[in-house]
Amino acid sequence: MLEARHLVKRFFGVTVVDDVNFVVRPGEIVGCLGPNGSGKTTTARMLTGLLDPTRGSVFFDGSDINADPIGFRRRLGYVPEEPYLYPFLSGREYLELVGRLREMPAPLMAKKIAALLELFGLTGAVEQGIGSYSKGMKQKVLIIAAIMHDPDVLIFDEPDSGLDVTATLVLRHLVRALAARGKVVLYSSHVLEVVEKLCTRVVVIHRGRVVADDSVARLRSLMASSSLEEVFAQLVLRVDPERTAGDIADVVAARA
Ligand SMILES: Nc1ncnc2c1ncn2[C@@H]1O[C@H](COP(=O)(O)OP(=O)(O)OP(=O)(O)O)[C@@H](O)[C@H]1O
Ligand SMILES: [Mg+2]
């Protein structure tokens, strides 16, 4: 299992992740839910080992991930929030690069890449430079790159960003299928409905702190609790969106 133990992150003296603790067990899909800027991506990056915590540690199967960072990365698949892809490589070339870095055997890698590109509906674009891909196509490449070495830990940071309805549904079922095969899955999102439909448990983060860690079944009743009122006001109600939109339009139209 994957454990966040007292994770703290400060940037320039500002605490953005503040003593975050939670556990993700194999077979679980844990949703990390919170408004924009609450610390989801920062937490996810610390869980991958890409960002060093200011304090605290990440444990996987009982060991600190820093004890064997390469061993941990072999077992990790990560879909980052930002699609950092090499624009001059084709989709196939990028996935081959990732596969080689992952030390996948060449024939298995070629077979998996071809099959996954086909299943994600990218076959027609495999030889095109990624720079010419649409947002959703880039996202699909990121997802393939994260899963093709069959990792045991999957950290998804807004993985449905830019995906169309069909691809989103495929992704949702895929996440469930991977969890059913015993993977550890963390799914970060600011969309309450997505987390409710997909996840078995939810960790709600607000201003860098875990304000709830419970089953999805209890999420709705938790929403009535005053400690969570503000979080869900931002997630669900978004403080009178129509009025805010009107105010923005007024500012844009200002002449003096
Ligand atoms: N490299 C950085 N340097 C300084 N501040 C940072 C850095 N990365 C994140 N932060 C700050 O940390 C806070 C949390 O950011 P984070 O990206 O973790 O939020 P998030 O919950 O993923 O939000 P979103 O839903 O918008 O993706 C923000 O206030 C952000 O400005
Ligand atoms: Mg984020």
Side-chain angles (χ1 to χ4, degrees):
M1 67 183 187
L2 186 68
E3 295 171 72
R5 292 194 186 171
H6 300 290
L7 285 180
V8 174
K9 187 68 196 180
R10 281 193 204 105
F11 289 112
F12 313 107
V14 179
T15 305
V16 299
V17 172
D18 192 0
D19 196 29
V20 162
N21 295 280
F22 61 86
V23 170
V24 192
R25 294 177 189 83
E28 268 188 325
I29 307 169
V30 172
C32 183
L33 182 72
N36 292 141
S38 55
K40 303 181 297 295
T41 295
T42 308
T43 302
R45 290 178 65 213
M46 289 192 280
L47 288 170
T48 63
L50 289 172
L51 181 70
D52 284 331
T54 307
R55 269 213 325 268
S57 37
V58 177
F59 274 64
F60 179 57
D61 280 352
S63 312
D64 192 316
I65 60 166
N66 286 322
D68 178 16
I70 296 182
F72 175 66
R73 270 171 217 178
R74 275 187 211 287
R75 300 180 64 187
L76 171 74
Y78 173 46
V79 176
E81 183 173 60
E82 297 292 337
Y84 294 122
L85 291 160
Y86 300 108
F88 299 110
L89 293 183
S90 71
R92 190 203 305 282
E93 285 167 340
Y94 176 76
L95 292 171
E96 284 172 356
L97 172 69
V98 172
R100 281 203 293 277
L101 291 171
R102 295 280 190 191
E103 296 176 334
M104 288 173 73
L108 177 66
M109 174 176 86
K111 208 168 125 186
K112 281 192 174 184
I113 291 175
L116 290 168
L117 285 168
E118 165 97 44
L119 285 165
F120 275 89
L122 289 172
T123 312
V126 285
E127 310 303 348
Q128 249 170 260
I130 291 175
S132 70
Y133 282 20
S134 71
K135 181 160 170 44
M137 288 161 76
K138 287 181 188 151
Q139 195 63 22
K140 290 175 181 179
V141 172
L142 282 180
I143 293 168
I144 298 173
I147 62 173
M148 70 177 182
H149 60 298
D150 193 26
D152 296 317
V153 181
L154 287 151
I155 297 181
F156 293 113
D157 195 349
E158 315 266 358
D160 48 7
S161 162
L163 295 183
D164 62 31
V165 178
T166 313
T168 302
L169 284 174
V170 171
L171 174 70
R172 219 166 275 180
H173 285 287
L174 172 66
V175 170
R176 284 199 195 104
L178 293 169
R181 290 177 192 213
K183 313 291 186 193
V184 165
V185 184
L186 183 77
Y187 193 106
S188 173
S189 177
H190 57 269
V191 184
L192 179 62
E193 291 75 18
V194 170
V195 169
E196 259 189 315
K197 281 205 184 89
L198 182 64
C199 300
T200 43
R201 230 179 69 227
V202 186
V203 171
V204 182
I205 298 194
H206 187 45
R207 295 189 183 139
R209 286 186 156 265
V210 174
V211 291
D213 178 349
D214 224 313
S215 67
V216 173
R218 288 229 325 151
L219 185 67
R220 283 281 170 202
S221 57
L222 280 171
M223 285 172 69
S225 117
S226 60
S227 63
L228 290 176
E229 215 169 279
E230 194 186 349
V231 181
F232 290 105
Q234 287 180 41
L235 281 169
V236 189
L237 304 172
R238 294 198 188 86
V239 238
D240 199 348
E242 203 174 331
R243 184 170 165 182
T244 306
D247 291 346
I248 293 169
D250 287 345
V251 171
V252 171
R255 290 275 177 266

